[in-house]
Amino acid sequence: MASISMNRLAEGAEKLGVTLDSYQLNQFEIYYLDLVDWNNRINITAITDVGEVQIKHFLDSLALVSVIKDRSNVSCRIIDVGTGAGFPGIPLKIAIPDIKMTLLEATTKKVLFLEHIVKKLAFNDIEIINGRAEEVAHKLEYREKFDIVVSRAVAELAILSELTLPFCKIGGGVIAQKKGDIQLELEQSLKAVETLGGSLTKVGKINLEGLDDERYLVVIDKIKATPEKYPRRSGMPEKKPLK
Ligand code: SAH
């Protein structure tokens, strides 16, 4: 195969401290081709240019690798809440094959793509759930069971905390990927984070060439159990954020 160039990805990944071998680069290439192919029929991403996908989807996702490796052993259990077409969950699974990855997505057509690509890329230890965080987080097998919860571009932090912290083990953490001016959003999330058993620990800036906006990683540590009533029923975290 190897018909299109994943050089940008390979070079950018090196700068992030992530070395991708030819098998992994080939997995990214297949992912790119099928993403664009499916996107012709069902709208799953606004970004389809090969250079842009490498930066804005693949490398942006891989910016989490060092944070994950610093926090946990490589076989840790991770859930990606609102993964869409698989970001950041699938790039992370390609880059760190030993992690146990759960992809959670509410929209069925996106889940169909996820099922297709996960099968094609022949991963072990990956699970896809078609559902809403508000419901899935109350199931015993998923509640407070993950070392790390990741989420990109799903909701503002006050809302996102309610959709993510209930999945996280005490001692684990949430890593949220955010864009733009996040100062006010951070301030407005403090009450929610505390109510849900978290502690806002760190905000890091992502430095990637070719990005035209500011991108941040927000790390929230889980320091105590989330009260049982959270998350509230579907839609409530968004309708009435815990501000
Ligand atoms: N993380 C992906 C997708 C972002 S779009 C990326 O960065 O490209 C946000 C996605 O979150 C959508 O696909 C939407 O269906 C999903 N989503 C929003 N609220 C959700 C919820 N409560 N539970 C599960 N998925 C949700």
Side-chain angles (χ1 to χ4, degrees), residues 83-149:
T83 189
F87 305 112
I90 291 181
L92 292 174
K93 180 66 186 166
I94 295 175
I96 324 172
D98 290 337
I99 50 178
K100 297 180 180 64
M101 177 62 73
T102 299
L103 303 171
L104 172 62
E105 173 51 49
T107 308
T108 304
K109 66 174 186 176
K110 294 182 181 177
V111 169
L112 292 176
F113 171 71
L114 293 170
E115 283 169 350
H116 160 81
I117 198 66
V118 157
K119 201 167 159 206
K120 193 154 171 182
L121 296 179
F123 294 125
N124 295 317
D125 288 330
I126 191 160
E127 173 187 31
I128 301 164
I129 309 172
N130 185 5
R132 292 192 60 90
E134 293 93 321
E135 286 156 22
V136 179
H138 283 288
K139 297 191 173 161
L140 213 58
E141 68 262 45
Y142 300 112
R143 191 169 184 88
E144 304 196 317
K145 291 291 189 294
F146 295 88
D147 302 289
I148 295 175
V149 184

Side-chain angles (χ1 to χ4, degrees), residues 44 57 80-88 104-107 110 131-134 151-154 163 234 238:
I44 40 179
H57 281 331
D80 181 4
V81 174
T83 189
F87 305 112
L104 172 62
E105 173 51 49
T107 308
K110 294 182 181 177
R132 292 192 60 90
E134 293 93 321
S151 190
R152 187 181 86 150
V154 171
L163 302 178
S234 271
E238 195 179 353

Side-chain angles (χ1 to χ4, degrees), residues 71-72 75-78 145-149 168-169 171-173:
R71 290 192 63 98
S72 232
S75 62
C76 67
R77 195 172 173 203
I78 300 186
K145 291 291 189 294
F146 295 88
D147 302 289
I148 295 175
V149 184
C168 200
K169 284 181 190 169

